[in-house]
Amino acid sequence: MSTNTDVAKIFNAMATILEIKGESGFKINATVKVARVLENLVEDIATIEDVTTISGIGKSSASKIKEFLESGEISSYEELRQSIPPGLLEVMRVQGLGPKKVRQLWQEADVVDIASLRTAIDTGKLDNLPRMGKKTIENIADALSFVESTSNRERLGIALPIAESILEELQKLPGITHSAIAGSIRRGKETIGDIDLLVSTTEPSLLAETFCELEGISKVFAHGETKCSIRLGSGMQVDLRIIDEEQFGAALLYFTGSKEHCILLREIAISQDKKLNEYRLEPADISATEEAIYKDLQLPWIPPEIREDRGERACKNTPNLLTINDIKADLHCHTTASDGHMSIEELATIAKARGYHTIAVTDHSQSQGQANGLKPDRLLKHIDAIHAVNETMDGITILAGSEVDILPDGTLDYDDELLAKLDIIVASPHAALSQSTEDATKRLLAAIEHPLVHIIGHPTGRIINKRKGLEPDMTTLIAAAVEHNTALEINANSYRLDLRDIHIRAAAEAGAMLSMNTDSHRPEDFEQLRYGILTARRGWLEASRCINCMEHDVLQTWLVRN
DNA sequence: GCCGTTTTCGGCCCGACTGTTTTCAGTCG
């Protein structure tokens, strides 16, 4: 919800300003925590009667939130904001510049924003400041150029293959005993800040040297005995940790994060008179595997995707999250009939090779002119063609479907008589994706309630790092999806990952069904499935709540349920 | 600022690396 995001942004900004002003770190952490809680909240904060019932939000923050909801601003934030130059928040984004240095730059060198920082460097204004040597200024200048040229976190679909290829390269070295990708990639976050690799080896110097001399490196930040850090030409930062083999589990746990989960574990350790760090759990000196550490903390092993301090502490057993092997059907794919690059036969052959029992052909509907959407007469012929191929192929059921546009007013792009001829209907929003929350909710609600619709495809229409998409009232949509037994899609394409993790979790907990689809247009698109799986797992999804995990006949029954 | 089988005060996660110092502050994850 956008209100939640708006308020979260204010709390994040407040925290940064408090840092620059040198306030207590605990107060700052508490403020950041409020922002994080709001970011992860599915319900609109305005609909919650007493926000102090939410852990992390106390009286003081509650009154600030209330003030924002009533007046659209927070007076104490406005005061804070006026106490420092607004551009300093941007300066804080420069790597290597924290609150202390930023304050020093402001007070002693008149730096008020990115532009004046650049000027200060170029005119030598920083040269005589205390603890500001040549090397430090060089590093700031370099990091500044980086901020000026780029800003976004990279998509999981970009970062994961890069991480895999670097790790593969390092694994060729002699002496390697263990290796893993850690960090937010292992947790399956939709965007990645940097790549974390862990390796244990009998030849640490060779490993570090090779890593720091990999092809395509634009900068080496650190080249230590246990930590090396580089930036690739593409802008991604890659950190390598060189780990003692017998401490691999403790390191993997620590560097997988999230930070919040690690803090949670250390707090649990302290409450049991133990101490956890990146090397071991004391006093029992447990370090070899994650499982052993969790066990000693009296917790089940927690899957990386849910290590976010969003309630995993209460797990009595390891949650049975769905895996890629649970997927037995893909219910949203395109052929050459619209904008795909595969024939019906090709699509079915690939699906069969992946071990699926069912594949749905869901080409675009008539409004999607740019995607060669099918007019009714073409759709009728396409349905016949799909059924004909289905007759000729054994071991796979090919469904004649459509990805029907949900038009801005909530009506569908074909009339009901035509829709009734289809085996499966995925209804998706494609245009008018900047509607108000109210309009978007009405629009999607109409589709969910439509008796012929099986699945709502990429419900928000967002494109990661590019387009915000719709911001419907998700609580309302989920309730309707449960009532009408309409599945909400998890579009696995790494540009979309739509629904996103927190909404998947809310939907599954409310009893809604979800549908995991690749939206494949080309053969290689089927490989996007793993990003959808990671996202679903982040949403605590179990196979029992995903229609693509149903056995053949169960799915058939589900499709004709209405 | 938040929290509480240690409840209304006292505590809040932990260590590596860099650059600048000469014993450590700042930043990062």
Side-chain angles (χ1 to χ4, degrees):
Chain A
M1 301 304 297
S2 70
T3 311
N4 297 359
T5 315
D6 291 346
V7 185
K9 272 186 191 153
I10 293 178
F11 275 84
N12 275 323
M14 281 197 287
T16 309
I17 298 170
L18 292 172
E19 273 192 295
I20 295 172
K21 292 173 74 83
E23 290 278 347
S24 140
F26 301 116
K27 184 171 170 177
I28 292 158
N29 283 344
T31 310
V32 171
K33 185 163 186 184
V34 173
R36 200 173 59 81
V37 165
L38 289 169
E39 284 162 3
N40 290 330
L41 193 67
V42 173
E43 298 123 299
D44 189 334
I45 189 76
T47 65
I48 297 171
E49 200 170 321
D50 179 7
V51 297
T52 60
T53 54
I54 303 170
S55 175
I57 302 182
K59 262 189 179 172
S60 166
S61 297
S63 75
K64 291 189 179 82
I65 293 168
K66 185 159 175 269
E67 188 188 347
F68 179 85
L69 293 174
E70 287 170 359
S71 72
E73 31 172 83
I74 298 172
S75 50
S76 57
Y77 168 60
E78 298 303 323
E79 279 168 32
L80 264 183
R81 211 156 61 128
Q82 281 159 26
S83 67
I84 66 160
L88 284 187
L89 296 184
E90 193 71 7
V91 178
M92 280 285 283
R93 288 185 48 229
V94 177
Q95 188 169 39
L97 289 184
K100 303 275 167 56
K101 280 218 171 71
V102 167
R103 187 159 51 150
Q104 183 191 17
L105 290 171
W106 167 37
Q107 293 181 339
E108 297 174 34
D110 302 321
V111 169
V112 294
D113 54 22
I114 292 284
S116 55
L117 174 58
R118 171 59 75 193
T119 311
I121 292 170
D122 292 346
T123 56
K125 217 169 174 179
L126 308 186
D127 296 352
N128 296 316
L129 294 184
R131 294 196 71 86
M132 192 70 76
K134 206 174 164 193
K135 190 77 187 157
T136 301
I137 294 172
E138 251 176 59
N139 285 340
I140 294 172
D142 180 75
L144 184 57
S145 305
F146 188 63
V147 165
E148 285 166 342
S149 67
T150 173
S151 60
N152 282 333
R153 290 165 61 89
E154 196 53 90
R155 281 183 299 118
L156 179 62
I158 299 287
L160 177 50
I162 293 174
E164 286 171 338
S165 74
I166 294 176
L167 199 58
E168 199 180 319
E169 202 58 36
L170 297 178
Q171 280 164 342
K172 291 177 188 162
L173 292 172
I176 307 293
T177 53
H178 280 67
S179 63
I181 298 170
S184 49
I185 296 184
R186 184 164 181 242
R187 302 202 312 282
K189 277 201 78 168
E190 63 191 36
T191 61
I192 304 299
D194 52 31
I195 294 172
D196 288 296
L197 303 176
L198 304 190
V199 181
S200 54
T201 175
T202 56
E203 304 279 348
S205 312
L206 175 66
L207 172 62
E209 216 159 285
T210 307
F211 177 75
C212 290
E213 287 170 6
L214 280 172
E215 209 174 305
I217 290 181
S218 66
K219 173 148 179 100
V220 177
F221 293 111
H223 185 160
E225 283 181 16
T226 63
K227 177 187 168 177
C228 296
S229 188
I230 60 170
R231 188 197 294 142
L232 300 173
S234 63
M236 282 235 73
Q237 186 177 325
V238 188
D239 292 348
L240 170 72
R241 313 284 172 158
I242 302 172
I243 310 293
D244 275 352
E245 191 181 346
E246 52 282 3
Q247 296 176 333
F248 204 82
L252 185 58
L253 183 58
Y254 180 83
F255 289 113
T256 296
S258 65
K259 188 177 168 188
E260 289 79 11
H261 182 77
C262 288
I263 291 173
L264 175 69
L265 293 185
R266 283 184 224 123
E267 284 171 356
I268 292 172
I270 289 168
S271 74
Q272 298 174 6
D273 290 324
K274 297 168 187 169
K275 191 178 132 173
L276 178 64
N277 60 26
E278 63 193 271
Y279 302 108
R280 64 186 65 81
L281 177 60
E282 293 168 351
D285 194 16
I286 298 166
S287 61
T289 67
E290 289 186 342
E291 286 81 354
I293 294 169
Y294 279 110
K295 191 175 173 199
D296 197 74
L297 292 173
Q298 294 155 38
L299 287 167
W301 179 76
I302 304 291
E305 297 90 342
I306 63 168
R307 296 182 192 169
E308 298 287 345
D309 189 14
R310 292 184 201 163
E312 65 269 28
R313 180 182 199 157
C315 288
K316 295 276 183 287
N317 298 297
T318 298
N320 188 23
L321 307 180
L322 99 167
T323 70
I324 205 157
N325 296 325
D326 292 323
I327 301 296
K328 301 187 173 81
D330 199 325
L331 302 175
H332 179 175
C333 297
H334 297 267
T335 70
T336 49
S338 61
D339 60 348
H341 292 76
M342 297 173 282
S343 65
I344 301 167
E345 290 85 352
E346 208 178 342
L347 196 59
T349 305
I350 294 170
K352 195 175 160 183
R354 295 182 68 92
Y356 295 165
H357 58 58
T358 300
I359 181 85
V361 180
T362 55
D363 281 299
H364 287 288
S365 59
Q366 54 186 337
S367 287
Q368 288 296 303
Q370 81 292 345
N372 193 21
L374 282 69
K375 297 280 182 202
D377 56 326
R378 283 183 63 216
L379 177 61
L380 285 168
K381 285 181 191 153
H382 195 40
I383 294 172
D384 288 342
I386 295 164
H387 286 158
V389 177
N390 188 42
E391 289 300 314
T392 66
M393 284 186 71
D394 289 331
I396 182 101
T397 296
I398 312 169
L399 300 175
S402 173
E403 182 182 15
V404 187
D405 260 52
I406 307 171
L407 303 174
D409 65 357
T411 56
L412 300 181
D413 201 18
Y414 294 127
D415 62 35
D416 286 2
E417 194 186 339
L418 180 53
L419 291 173
K421 296 185 192 305
L422 294 160
D423 302 323
I424 183 166
I425 295 170
V426 179
S428 311
H430 284 110
L433 295 175
S434 32
Q435 281 179 316
S436 68
T437 291
E438 195 188 349
D439 289 345
T441 307
K442 272 191 207 154
R443 175 188 192 179
L444 292 169
L445 211 47
I448 290 170
E449 289 167 352
H450 194 292
L452 295 171
V453 170
H454 297 98
I455 300 168
I456 304 297
H458 47 72
T460 73
R462 68 140 172 193
I463 302 291
I464 292 172
N465 284 351
K466 286 224 172 87
R467 182 169 74 204
K468 206 155 117 187
L470 300 172
E471 296 182 303
D473 176 350
M474 215 40 97
T475 311
T476 302
L477 294 190
I478 288 167
V482 173
E483 186 188 340
H484 296 275
N485 203 15
T486 306
L488 301 175
E489 183 178 70
I490 302 164
N491 192 296
N493 189 290
S494 74
Y495 280 100
R496 293 191 179 273
L497 298 176
D498 177 16
L499 291 181
R500 68 182 63 194
D501 53 7
I502 58 171
H503 293 150
I504 294 168
R505 187 171 180 192
E509 282 179 357
M513 294 304 290
L514 291 116
S515 181
M516 170 74 68
N517 302 309
T518 59
D519 197 353
S520 284
H521 287 68
R522 301 166 185 272
E524 60 269 28
D525 292 347
F526 283 94
E527 300 302 327
Q528 298 278 312
L529 179 60
R530 60 173 171 164
Y531 306 119
I533 297 289
L534 285 165
T535 303
R537 289 171 62 85
R538 288 181 62 78
W540 295 56
L541 190 68
E542 302 195 356
S544 60
R545 297 241 65 87
C546 178
I547 60 172
N548 305 65
C549 302
M550 291 174 170
E551 295 301 334
H552 180 273
D553 293 357
V554 180
L555 176 60
Q556 288 292 325
T557 307
W558 188 86
L559 288 170
V560 298
R561 74 211 186 275
N562 290 315

